[in-house]
């Protein structure tokens, strides 16, 4: 029992040599493909603090994560995995900033209306361990080339309507 306390108290990985998994969506009929080795994300180190965000503003979400190496000293390393995959799919994103209130748009929601229906996303924090996601709200649109409207609901009860916002770009919503 005392050796178990010493092990868990050191902060070592509880997963041993378990490698990371990265799943790519193939299509609706065939599900997902485990591609971590092929994509270079199957790291040996203990990985924490994973976030996905569009780090280079190209509309494709990239990955950032921290690795922890055990031993006499704890060493940390930041790994960035840029999404460079070719795609004909479209996207739209929103930067939510509010003057005189919550500058981060925290608690706001965006409802997106396309020819295939409605989708909704909220600006939240605290949904990840030891990391924080971007304040942007990002929607993948697939092959759809048009968004009918975007409706932003702010925490203070006000709202902002964007009619026919352009795709494949980020919109600053004041």
């Amino acid at each position: 029992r005392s050796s178990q306390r010493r092990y868990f108290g050191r902060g070592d990985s509880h997963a041993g040599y378990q490698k990371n998994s990265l799943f790519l969506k193939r299509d609706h009929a065939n599900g997902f493909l485990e591609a971590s080795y092929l994509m270079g994300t199957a790291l040996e180190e203990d990985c924490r603090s994973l976030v996905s965000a569009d780090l280079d503003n190209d509309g494709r979400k990239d990955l950032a994560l921290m690795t922890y190496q055990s031993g006499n000293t704890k060493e940390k390393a930041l790994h960035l995995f840029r999404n460079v995959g070719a795609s004909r799919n479209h996207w739209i994103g929103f930067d939510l900033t509010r003057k005189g209130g919550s500058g981060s748009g925290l608690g706001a929601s965006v409802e997106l209306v396309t020819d295939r229906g409605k989708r909704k996303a909220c600006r939240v924090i605290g949904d990840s361990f030891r990391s924080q996601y971007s304040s942007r709200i990002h929607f993948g649109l697939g092959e759809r080339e048009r968004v009918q409207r975007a409706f932003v609901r702010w925490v203070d009860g006000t709202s902002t309507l964007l009619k026919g916002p352009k795709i494949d770009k980020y919109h600053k919503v004041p």
Side-chain angles (χ1 to χ4, degrees):
R1 183 176 169 143
S2 63
S3 64
Q4 191 177 29
R5 264 194 221 145
R6 281 196 308 267
Y7 173 76
F8 289 120
R10 285 194 335 226
D12 290 341
S13 172
H14 302 296
Y17 292 100
Q18 180 180 357
K19 299 214 188 280
N20 295 334
S21 294
L22 177 68
F23 294 95
L24 300 177
K25 186 168 183 172
R26 295 162 71 176
D27 57 38
H28 293 291
N30 294 313
F32 293 88
L33 171 70
E34 206 290 318
S36 57
Y37 179 77
L38 295 172
M39 303 300 279
T41 61
L43 303 177
E44 292 279 341
E45 298 88 7
D46 190 15
C47 299
R48 308 276 172 94
S49 309
L50 173 70
V51 294
S52 64
D54 184 3
L55 301 173
D56 53 4
N57 297 318
D58 66 356
R60 294 176 296 203
K61 290 214 173 175
D62 309 298
L63 296 175
L65 66 87
M66 294 286 294
T67 57
Y68 293 79
Q69 299 173 343
S70 297
N72 292 336
T73 61
K74 285 275 192 190
E75 293 183 27
K76 299 175 187 174
L78 174 65
H79 298 266
L80 301 175
F81 297 97
R82 187 167 172 240
N83 184 350
V84 294
S87 177
R88 291 187 303 259
N89 291 333
H90 297 286
W91 59 277
I92 191 169
F94 301 93
D95 282 322
L96 304 179
T97 55
R98 213 51 212 256
K99 291 183 180 178
S102 172
S104 66
L106 184 59
S109 66
V110 177
E111 184 178 86
L112 198 67
V113 179
T114 68
D115 60 343
R116 289 204 177 166
K118 296 178 183 180
R119 293 172 55 199
K120 186 176 180 178
C122 297
R123 170 68 180 112
V124 298
I125 59 171
D127 60 344
S128 187
F129 180 67
R130 290 187 175 177
S131 57
Q132 184 161 329
Y133 283 87
S134 168
S135 61
R136 290 178 169 169
I137 291 182
H138 183 280
F139 292 95
L141 299 173
E143 295 178 358
R144 288 184 287 285
E145 296 181 352
R146 184 172 173 266
V147 170
Q148 294 169 355
R149 65 182 173 275
F151 188 70
V152 180
R153 290 193 177 142
W154 302 97
V155 176
D156 64 7
T158 61
S159 59
T160 305
L161 175 64
L162 290 94
K163 292 182 181 178
K166 292 184 179 181
I167 61 170
D168 298 332
K169 69 175 278 185
Y170 287 100
H171 297 269
K172 287 190 182 262
V173 184

